[in-house]
């Protein structure tokens, strides 16, 4: 998944991203793929998206973002 969603697009666009190697930008997202999060309407205000279309209110969302790094600096932690 990482290769398809990160390494290949970075290579096509000639970006210094997409792999964890020396001299590459350390942009990464740490996830817990087994975490489940039920979505309820009262949580909508805590989301960063301004989109009006969301997952159905009764749906349980799978996966959770734990941390986001941009150029090696932590910019988000849950």
């Amino acid at each position: 998944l990482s290769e398809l969603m990160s390494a290949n697009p970075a290579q096509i666009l000639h970006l210094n991203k997409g792999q964890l190697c020396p001299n590459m930008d350390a942009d990464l997202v740490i996830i817990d793929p087994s975490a489940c999060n039920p979505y309820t309407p009262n949580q909508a205000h805590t989301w960063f998206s301004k989109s009006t279309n969301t997952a159905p209110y009764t749906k349980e969302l799978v996966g959770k973002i734990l941390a986001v790094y941009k150029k090696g600096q932590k910019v988000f932690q849950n």
Side-chain angles (χ1 to χ4, degrees):
L1 184 60
S2 178
E3 190 173 325
L4 290 173
M5 301 292 290
S6 187
N8 290 345
Q11 184 178 8
I12 290 167
L13 297 171
H14 305 288
L15 301 175
N16 194 33
K17 304 175 183 304
Q19 296 180 23
L20 293 177
C21 299
N23 301 318
M24 300 288 278
D25 291 346
D27 295 348
L28 26 127
V29 178
I30 309 297
I31 65 166
D32 178 354
S34 62
C36 294
N37 300 299
Y39 177 82
T40 59
N42 64 346
Q43 290 175 316
H45 70 280
T46 64
W47 287 35
F48 294 108
S49 175
K50 293 182 181 181
S51 178
T52 57
N53 59 337
T54 61
Y57 293 141
T58 59
K59 191 134 180 136
E60 187 166 75
L61 306 175
V62 178
K64 182 177 183 178
I65 296 174
L66 302 177
V68 178
Y69 291 82
K70 178 143 180 82
K71 294 192 176 182
Q73 300 296 313
K74 188 183 296 182
V75 295
F76 174 81
Q77 183 167 0
N78 195 2

